[in-house]
Amino acid sequence: MIAQKFEYVVPTSLGDAVNLLQKHAGHAKILAGGHSLIPMMKLRLAAPELLIDIGRIPELTYVKEESGKIRIGALTTHQVIESSDVIKRRLTALADAAGLIGDIQVRNKGTIGGSIVHADPAADYPAAILAFDATIVTLGPQGERLIPASKFFVDLMTTALEQNEIVREIQIPVKAGKTGSAYLKMAQKASGFAICGAAAVIELDTAGVLTNVAIGITGVGSHAFRAGKPEAALRNQKPSRDAIKAACEKASDGIIALEDIHASADYRLDLTRIYARRAVEAAIERAE
Ligand SMILES: Cc1cc2nc3c(=O)[nH]c(=O)nc-3n(C[C@H](O)[C@H](O)[C@H](O)COP(=O)(O)OP(=O)(O)OC[C@H]3O[C@@H](n4cnc5c(N)ncnc54)[C@H](O)[C@@H]3O)c2cc1C
């Protein structure tokens, strides 16, 4: 199908983009990599009157480590994230997630900001964003707003972003001690989207006790979520295979799983328990 007719503008500064979004609120959409929005428009699931292409705003593309945080500009592509040395070293699960997205064409054009705003329930980043306790920095007419990842993903393709706000960057705190992270998924073969994806971030003290465990799950429910029960069960424990397995048996507790042509709800719940365990084991193996 062909998209409905629309106007197209290319601001060259973030301020101009915010002003345009405010002026046309409710009728305009931000265009980043276009790998989710354009298909939605062609299917007439989205019909904005105006596209505001932020692709030529240089101040939105960067990966920086400063003041105990890694800051990632919203327009940074999946390809840059998967190959960034600082992300591979410090936020390995995020690099894993980026490298598992679609194919190289999608990773060359798609952006982290576009992916989290689109909030596809099967997208990869949200699991890692939640497990790393990221903060989403937005810019709107009232200025900057900081949204914790735990409050950002609200429902199926719905986030806490206001219509007149732009995501500016994603901030992730850097852990000081012995830490490791991993993201693994069972992918839908044609698109690469997650049938179930799990990200784990762990911290160990000098005695080898888990001082922190965070597990983010995507692809299973209407939006990504944290698996709180295994996190609590593993905290302050010396990890063993049996303890991890027993804890991760609770990873799907209370979750209402999606059901579609790719997988039944029960299958997704089974995968949640399995992938949570595998992600925790992989994160511990990588800890340094
Ligand atoms: C064939 C194919 C396979 C794919 N496989 C996967 C996969 O395996 N895993 C996965 O996670 N994803 C997958 N994707 C989706 C891909 O990751 C997209 O790139 C991503 O979801 C959207 O990013 P984008 O930059 O293209 O955003 P766009 O399509 O440009 O925008 C998406 C939405 O976000 C809004 N938006 C974009 N940037 C901002 C911003 N900075 N502030 C406010 N709003 C903004 C837009 O208005 C729109 O509503 C696939 C896509 C395709 C086409």
Side-chain angles (χ1 to χ4, degrees), residues 109-123:
K109 286 296 285 180
T111 67
I112 187 165
S115 175
I116 64 168
V117 174
H118 188 60
D120 191 302

Side-chain angles (χ1 to χ4, degrees), residues 182-197:
Y183 173 78
L184 303 163
K185 74 169 163 180
M186 158 83 79
Q188 197 274 320
K189 292 287 177 210
S191 67
F193 276 105
I195 292 173
C196 172

